[in-house]
Structures are given as C-alpha cells and as structure tokens.
Amino acid sequence: MNVLLIGSGGREHALAWALRKSPLLDRLYCAPGNGGIAALAECVALDPMDFAGVTDFVRAHDIGFVIVGPEAPLVAGLVDHLSAQGVKAFGPTAAAAKLEGSKGFTKDLCAANAIPTAAYARFSDAAAAKTYIRQQGAPIVIKADGLAAGKGVILAETLAEAEAAVDDILGGAFGAAGAELVVEEFLFGEEASFFVLVDGKTALPLATAQDHKRVGDGDMGPNTGGMGAYSPAPVMTDAMVAATMARIIEPTVAAMARAGMPFKGVLFAGLMITDKGPYLIEYNTRFGDPECQVLMARLQSDLLPALLAAADGALAGFRLDWSDQAAVTVVMAARGYPGDYGKGDVIGGLDAAGLVPGVQVFHAGTALKDGKLLSNGGRVLNITATGATITHAVSRAYSAVDKVEWPGGFCRRDIAWRALERERQSG
Ligand code: AMP
Ligand code: GLY
C-alpha cells in the first residue's frame, strides 16, 4: 500500500521511521516532510491546507491511506475532505477534532459527562470574565478558545495578570482563536501525556509518556511545544491508567459517538495527576510532539495495521506490543526558541550521534540544501535513545547530543528528571 504522511516535524519523522518497518508499506510519501524524513520517504512540496492539491496528489500516486500528523489540517477538515472523495485517512473529522480546536467545547463535554477537569467558565465579554476572575481569585488560568500554537494559555499568578490576559485574548492577540476564552481553576499535581488510538467506539491505550513543556532546566521559563519526553511515565501506574480510561477516555469516546461525531484517530489527553486522581487539562487530537518519538522508539508491533484498524473501526481485540526498554528524547532547538530564532545554520555530527547504541536522531526542523543539512525551525532535532532504564536511556541520549556540531543550538540538560529521581530512590 502507498501511504501519504502529512506533516514536517519530529513526530512525522518518528512515524515515517515506524511505518518504514511495515511489510504492508510500498511507497511512502511525506508532505511537506523535512531533511531527515527525506531519507525514508519521498518528500513532496504540498501544502496540507490545500485540500484539493492533496486529493489530486493522492489520485495521481495511487495512495491507499493518508496519515495526518498535525492538528491544523485536522481541525480544518482534511479528513472529511478525503473521506468524501473515497480516500481512507487516519485522524478525526473536523467535528471530532473540536476536542482540540475548541477548549470551551471540551470543557462543556466534560461538564455534561462528569469527567474530572478544572472548574471553568466561558466568556466572550471582557467585563464578565474579569468579574468572574475577581470572584475566583488567583492563581487562575486563562485560555484562548481556539488553536493558538500552544501560546494561548496564561497561568496567571495575580489578578492583574489574569485581567491583562483577558484583554490580550479578547483584544485579538490570537486572532479568531481568541474570540472566546475559558477561565479555569488552577490545578496542582504532576502532568502526564496519555494517548489512546480510537476507532469511533473502542479506545486502545498506548504506552505512557511525559514531556517537558518549559524551555529551561528545572521546568523554568516560557512554555514551548515540548523540550523532551520519556516513556514510560512512572506516575502512570496501571491503576492510574485504569482510572484515566474509566473516568476520562471512555466517557469522552461514548459521548462523541452519541453526539454523532465519533472520534477516530489518536486522542491525546494532557493530564494533571492530582491527589484526587487524574484530571483532564486538555485534549489534543493527534500524537504529541515529542511524545510520539519515544512511543515509536518503544513500539514493537507494526504501526500501519494499527492506524488502519482505527480508521476502519476495527480496534476491538487489537493489541500492541511495547518494548520493556525505556525511551527518552532530547529536543535540540535553535537559540532564541520559543521566541525569535534564526534559520539556516549548518549542522554536523549527526552520523556520529546516530552511532551511539540505542540512538535514533529524528529531525524536527531541518532542510537539505546543496548536500548540507540546515536548521529550519525552532525545534530542530530530537535525539532519541532507548535503554534498560530511564537513567540508561538519558545517558545515551546526552552522549549523542554531545556529538552534534551545532553552536547555534541548545537543549535542556535535565530531561526526565522526575523519573531519574525515582530511579535513584528505588536504587
Ligand atoms: P494546555 O495548552 O491547555 O496543555 O496548557 C499548557 C500548559 O499549561 C499545561 O501543560 C499545563 O502545564 C498548564 N496548565 C493548563 N491548564 C492548567 C490548569 N488548569 N492548572 C494548572 N496548569 C495548567
Ligand atoms: N508535546 C505536547 C504537544 O504535542 O502538544
């Protein structure tokens, strides 16, 4: 089967790497891809938001399955468009992708189905939002309703910050994504990323993972798309996974089906593990980036039939095998990220990095030009390693990081610190 993968990040490089191992795969195309994906797939200069262009390509290249990585084309309806043309695709419809595309939609779904989440209210009027904020007190969380590339969430320590956030969001700082906002209770606990494959009715849990959202060591500094991840996440014990499935995932999948918008694809629950158990912070309707990289490093089953089963409504009874090894990924980003950063630095040393045992170098934002590999984004490389323990995987990942020749890049040096502490304590 010929497959078209949509996206250009480290997530898509990891998916391409996993798909390449499938005996079911004939040709793999990636739109638009990146400098690393080019070694595994034929990269095509197609804009994923140009639905007609994607459909024409699919027809011309006898594509049997389209796998959509990022959220923007999902929320905009790429899967609906492909399905209407008779093309099989992996990912939710636009209606089901509202679980990521509208925070208010998800909060209302939680409220209607008694799914544990932070107490909240929705507003499009600034004065009303501020009155509510003053009643609730700080700290408090303000979120633009729509997609804001991870920047639409303000964790306000003071009432003044909260009120300024309301003015920013409703004043147009996030465009249409900020026509409405959600104000919610500040939750305390440890965060985890939880992924399930869903076929409309059945949800199959994937391995557990945790990422690091803040740019700096010690989880300090501004939020990013994610600076590193590891799997498994020790906080997600079997009991916590069972509670998450029963209280959060199953009721969501059932509610979406009842509402006539069955969810198919990857449902990614951002969780806060509180002293009262798992709370939903938010849903994403795609694989996490960089969590996908550590999941693919541990997946032992063939990925392609699993994604096909999700698209076909055939996940009941499906099983996935995961390596007992731990996996870690360290994001190397361009200096300045998540603010302004440069592009076009020459990067070397990746062959040596890739020779460290257990290491895979995934590219997140690179381009090939005249035989040279250039930085081409904020998050640029995902140095991924497996090992017998998290400690072992971390040490392999950083020894590979140290072989990368890129003075304009930086990374966090403390990826997986919580898991490392746990491993130290348990000897
Ligand atoms: P989100 O984009 O909704 O995942 O939010 C980004 C980050 O903000 C999350 O990963 C959390 O670290 C934090 N966050 C979001 N909502 C809350 C909340 N209600 N309480 C505490 N932290 C939150
Ligand atoms: N790493 C978090 C995300 O993909 O949104």
Side-chain angles (χ1 to χ4, degrees):
M1 160 183 282
N2 296 335
V3 172
L4 171 64
L5 174 63
I6 302 282
S8 63
R11 167 182 51 212
E12 286 76 24
H13 192 177
L15 291 172
W17 177 77
L19 290 167
R20 262 276 149 240
K21 298 188 247 182
S22 175
L24 298 178
L25 182 74
D26 292 317
R27 298 185 74 96
L28 180 62
Y29 298 91
C30 187
N34 67 34
I37 295 172
L40 300 171
E42 190 176 317
C43 293
V44 281
L46 257 182
D47 175 1
M49 300 300 269
D50 170 12
F51 294 176
V54 172
T55 314
D56 288 347
F57 183 86
V58 162
R59 295 227 183 290
H61 295 81
D62 191 24
I63 306 284
F65 194 37
V66 179
I67 299 167
V68 185
E71 63 274 21
L74 292 170
V75 170
L78 177 57
V79 168
D80 310 61
H81 184 86
L82 290 168
S83 307
Q85 307 281 323
V87 180
K88 191 178 294 189
F90 177 80
T93 60
K98 278 185 97 174
L99 286 173
E100 174 160 5
S102 167
K103 296 195 188 286
F105 172 85
T106 296
K107 297 299 283 189
D108 288 351
L109 180 124
C110 289
N113 294 280
I115 294 169
T117 189
Y120 76 106
R122 301 175 69 169
F123 297 97
S124 48
D125 175 69
K130 290 178 188 176
T131 303
Y132 176 80
I133 287 167
R134 282 192 292 270
Q135 284 162 0
Q136 300 297 312
I140 194 158
V141 182
I142 322 295
K143 299 183 175 182
D145 185 76
L147 291 185
K151 301 200 174 76
V153 174
I154 294 94
L155 308 175
E157 304 285 346
T158 63
L159 289 180
E161 273 176 70
E163 294 189 16
V166 168
D167 288 331
D168 274 358
I169 293 173
L170 295 179
F174 302 102
E180 205 189 309
L181 56 75
V182 171
V183 179
E184 65 178 49
E185 168 198 6
F186 196 103
L187 295 173
F188 295 92
E190 181 172 343
E191 281 182 60
S193 304
F194 188 70
F195 299 88
V196 285
L197 273 185
V198 189
D199 70 354
K201 35 187 200 302
T202 299
L204 176 67
L206 306 186
T208 60
Q210 220 164 8
D211 84 345
H212 292 270
K213 290 236 163 72
R214 303 298 187 106
V215 75
D217 284 11
D219 292 327
M220 306 296 277
N223 259 325
T224 68
M227 292 302 291
Y230 56 101
S231 173
V235 70
M236 293 304 288
T237 57
D238 290 350
M240 199 63 73
V241 168
T244 303
M245 289 299 291
R247 296 180 203 165
I248 298 178
I249 302 293
E250 306 283 8
T252 299
V253 171
M256 293 298 285
R258 276 198 310 275
M261 35 188 168
F263 186 92
K264 291 185 177 187
V266 179
L267 186 59
F268 163 5
L271 301 176
M272 188 71 87
I273 307 304
T274 73
D275 50 15
K276 286 184 282 183
Y279 271 56
L280 181 72
I281 298 177
E282 63 156 6
Y283 276 129
N284 296 301
T285 59
R286 50 169 174 86
F287 279 107
D289 187 347
E291 293 94 326
C292 184
Q293 289 77 317
V294 288
L295 295 182
M296 292 307 116
R298 292 188 60 217
L299 180 64
Q300 294 198 301
S301 307
D302 186 344
L303 176 65
L304 187 49
L307 302 187
L308 285 165
D312 289 339
L315 276 180
F318 206 93
R319 152 246 114 124
L320 286 172
D321 292 318
W322 301 92
S323 163
D324 289 337
Q325 298 245 306
V328 170
T329 189
V330 176
V331 173
M332 297 187 76
R335 243 174 249 294
Y337 175 80
D340 293 337
Y341 54 82
K343 292 185 181 179
D345 293 349
V346 176
I347 300 174
L350 296 192
D351 289 344
L355 287 176
V356 175
V359 167
Q360 280 298 325
V361 176
F362 294 125
H363 295 219
T366 65
L368 279 171
K369 202 173 170 201
D370 306 328
K372 288 206 174 80
L373 188 72
L374 305 179
S375 67
N376 192 40
R379 294 189 295 171
V380 172
L381 296 169
N382 307 141
I383 311 298
T384 309
T386 51
T389 57
I390 296 271
T391 308
H392 189 211
V394 163
S395 110
R396 285 170 152 184
Y398 283 111
S399 79
V401 163
D402 292 335
K403 297 196 185 323
V404 175
E405 294 154 17
W406 178 29
F410 76 98
C411 66
R412 280 183 61 163
R413 283 280 161 183
D414 65 344
I415 296 306
W417 65 268
R418 285 175 193 274
L420 293 175
E421 267 177 19
R422 283 186 171 100
E423 286 185 356
R424 252 195 304 277
Q425 276 160 17
S426 64

